Amino acid sequence: MRHGISTVLLEKHTRQHVLSRVRAGVLESGTVHELRDAGVAQRLDRERIEHGGVCLGDDNTDFRIDFRELSGRPVTVYGQTEITRDLYEALDRDCADIRHECPVVEIGNVETTQPHLLYRTRTGACRLDADFIVACDGYHGVGRRFVPTSHRTEFERRLPYGWLGILAEAPPVHHELVYSRSSRGFALASMRSQQLSRYYIQVPRQHDPKDWSDQAFWKEFRRRLPGRFADRLQTGPSIEKSIANLRAFVCGTLRFGRLLLCGDAGHIVPPTGAKGLNLAVSDVHYASNALVQYFHHGDLQGLDSYSRKALDRVWLAMRFSWWMTRMLHLDPQSDGFESQLRSAEFLHLRRAPGAQGMFAENYAGLPY
């Protein structure tokens, strides 16, 4: 809308449901730049928590990787739910056409200049004609299904473990994120604010969060933290508790005709490297620039290169997230040889400035 291009947003759920979901909160510098450029970063700039580095530890020790020194860029902690709230407010100010409880059931004619989609409402089915359709409907959405299998290759790996996470009313254990690869399994200490913590522990993927009491979580979480962080941990009641299974997925094309895939509709990375939300923003960066280029200048170059540019960045982020995940987690399917290699990777990262520089460049965010 900022560029004079009429848009319609179709959302499967209610606005209340969208704003109630707990999601990621670590933003690359490029993501922050995009939000500022879109004019929706006023509250972010007031309330964000800036992190100049991250701590990594194991049963014996911990060390810090300095993002500012090694990459020149910090990362920002600001919840995805808050970004969604800011975007809603901006769209409301612009009187945007947002239609809630309107699940899309079919997409057609994307190989022509007149694509359309069908969606359901409480009163029946509706049709919407468009110039382009952008599917931002997640891994389980319908958008990707309308890219014919003959035109896409899908790459997927599933890990045998997941993350049990809680959102707790408690001050963070540290002013920066703490990643721990203990002998009992992985743990992550993150945050949403100075009084709201987001903590995770590695569990088998078949576990049910209902089987974990708050007391059981805190006991296990404390045992997996490096000593100095375990000693200062403050617990509190959980607001939300869930398990996220870890997997890697990439659709080999993010564009078919006039249908574009963005975010989880086209790719999912393990959450260890905090890349999911940031990759969705970079997809939107490439897609929106391509659409502006087309509507203002009739130039198809950006659209023709959209999938390649976006996927180049996706695969670079996947490489980093997969490496980081494998290094920090216990894998019940691996043998002693692989376990020793992962320990050697961690030791190399702790000792080698060059390895820490690579880590900082990737974690803080590669350029678009």
Side-chain angles (χ1 to χ4, degrees), residues 21-22 36 50 132 221 243 250 303 329:
R21 293 179 295 185
V22 177
R36 286 173 178 157
E50 196 171 272
F132 290 90
F221 182 68
I243 288 183
V250 180
L303 287 164
H329 289 72

Side-chain angles (χ1 to χ4, degrees), residues 156-217:
E156 187 166 17
R157 290 281 179 89
R158 292 181 178 269
L159 292 163
Y161 42 79
W163 282 7
L164 171 64
I166 69 167
L167 188 67
E169 293 179 340
V173 71
H174 189 55
H175 67 277
E176 294 176 336
L177 271 65
V178 179
Y179 289 86
S180 178
R181 63 177 306 270
S182 83
S183 57
R184 300 182 62 85
F186 170 79
L188 169 61
S190 184
M191 66 195 68
R192 291 296 175 267
S193 70
Q194 300 294 354
Q195 294 299 322
L196 201 59
S197 296
R198 184 69 165 157
Y199 294 146
Y200 302 92
I201 57 173
Q202 173 188 349
V203 296
R205 62 181 298 124
Q206 68 270 20
H207 273 210
D208 188 330
K210 295 177 183 177
D211 296 332
W212 283 81
S213 66
D214 284 6
Q215 182 180 8
F217 178 90

Side-chain angles (χ1 to χ4, degrees), residues 18-325:
V18 173
L19 291 174
S20 70
R21 293 179 295 185
V22 177
R23 290 292 186 267
V26 178
L27 311 182
E28 298 174 353
S29 55
T31 297
V32 173
H33 172 79
E34 290 296 312
L35 294 170
R36 286 173 178 157
D37 189 56
V40 294
Q42 294 86 349
R43 190 162 67 94
L44 181 153
D45 284 330
R46 291 196 308 269
E47 300 179 8
R48 69 184 181 137
I49 304 172
E50 196 171 272
H51 286 187
V54 68
C55 290
L56 293 97
D58 58 15
D59 292 319
N60 303 312
T61 187
D62 64 86
F63 62 97
R64 180 176 184 267
I65 296 179
D66 192 318
F67 297 154
R68 286 194 178 92
E69 178 183 340
L70 295 168
S71 74
R73 303 185 307 279
V75 295
T76 294
V77 173
Y78 187 74
Q80 182 173 335
T81 303
E82 302 309 312
I83 294 175
T84 306
R85 195 182 309 278
D86 295 339
L87 290 170
Y88 265 133
E89 291 178 359
L91 290 169
D92 288 343
R93 288 194 298 270
D94 290 339
C95 300
D97 188 347
I98 309 174
R99 306 177 192 182
H100 288 93
E101 298 182 90
C102 293
V104 174
V105 295
E106 183 177 326
I107 298 174
N109 292 342
V110 295
E111 292 186 88
T112 75
T113 58
Q114 296 178 311
H116 71 269
L117 53 80
L118 302 179
Y119 64 96
R120 292 197 306 268
T121 69
R122 291 183 176 182
T123 58
C126 293
R127 172 175 168 140
L128 181 65
D129 296 301
D131 293 298
F132 290 90
I133 296 171
V134 182
C136 307
D137 54 348
Y139 177 81
H140 298 289
V142 303
R144 191 174 65 255
R145 283 190 277 151
F146 291 93
V147 178
T149 55
S150 59
H151 287 75
R152 61 180 159 94
T153 302
E154 295 185 353
F155 307 89
E156 187 166 17
R157 290 281 179 89
R158 292 181 178 269
L159 292 163
Y161 42 79
W163 282 7
L164 171 64
I166 69 167
L167 188 67
E169 293 179 340
V173 71
H174 189 55
H175 67 277
E176 294 176 336
L177 271 65
V178 179
Y179 289 86
S180 178
R181 63 177 306 270
S182 83
S183 57
R184 300 182 62 85
F186 170 79
L188 169 61
S190 184
M191 66 195 68
R192 291 296 175 267
S193 70
Q194 300 294 354
Q195 294 299 322
L196 201 59
S197 296
R198 184 69 165 157
Y199 294 146
Y200 302 92
I201 57 173
Q202 173 188 349
V203 296
R205 62 181 298 124
Q206 68 270 20
H207 273 210
D208 188 330
K210 295 177 183 177
D211 296 332
W212 283 81
S213 66
D214 284 6
Q215 182 180 8
F217 178 90
W218 289 122
K219 181 179 180 180
E220 184 61 29
F221 182 68
R222 188 188 302 272
R223 295 175 75 176
R224 298 188 187 190
L225 288 178
R228 70 185 182 103
F229 299 116
D231 292 342
R232 69 176 66 155
L233 176 65
Q234 297 183 45
T235 64
S238 65
I239 300 170
E240 185 267 353
K241 191 182 298 174
S242 60
I243 288 183
N245 290 322
L246 271 61
R247 66 180 184 273
F249 170 81
V250 180
C251 179
T253 182
L254 300 183
R255 180 196 172 201
F256 178 68
R258 296 206 166 197
L259 171 64
L260 282 67
L261 307 180
C262 285
D264 286 2
H267 46 79
I268 294 176
V269 296
T272 320
K275 295 302 171 200
L277 166 62
N278 293 291
L279 285 177
V281 172
S282 66
D283 288 350
V284 170
H285 167 83
Y286 294 124
S288 61
N289 285 347
L291 290 170
V292 169
Q293 189 177 359
Y294 171 78
F295 281 110
H296 285 198
H297 307 289
D299 188 347
L300 284 168
Q301 183 177 353
L303 287 164
D304 290 340
S305 63
Y306 164 67
S307 185
R308 176 185 57 79
K309 287 182 177 179
L311 285 174
D312 281 350
R313 201 167 189 276
V314 167
W315 278 112
L316 288 170
M318 181 68 78
R319 182 202 66 83
F320 175 69
S321 294
W322 188 260
W323 166 80
M324 189 176 174
T325 300

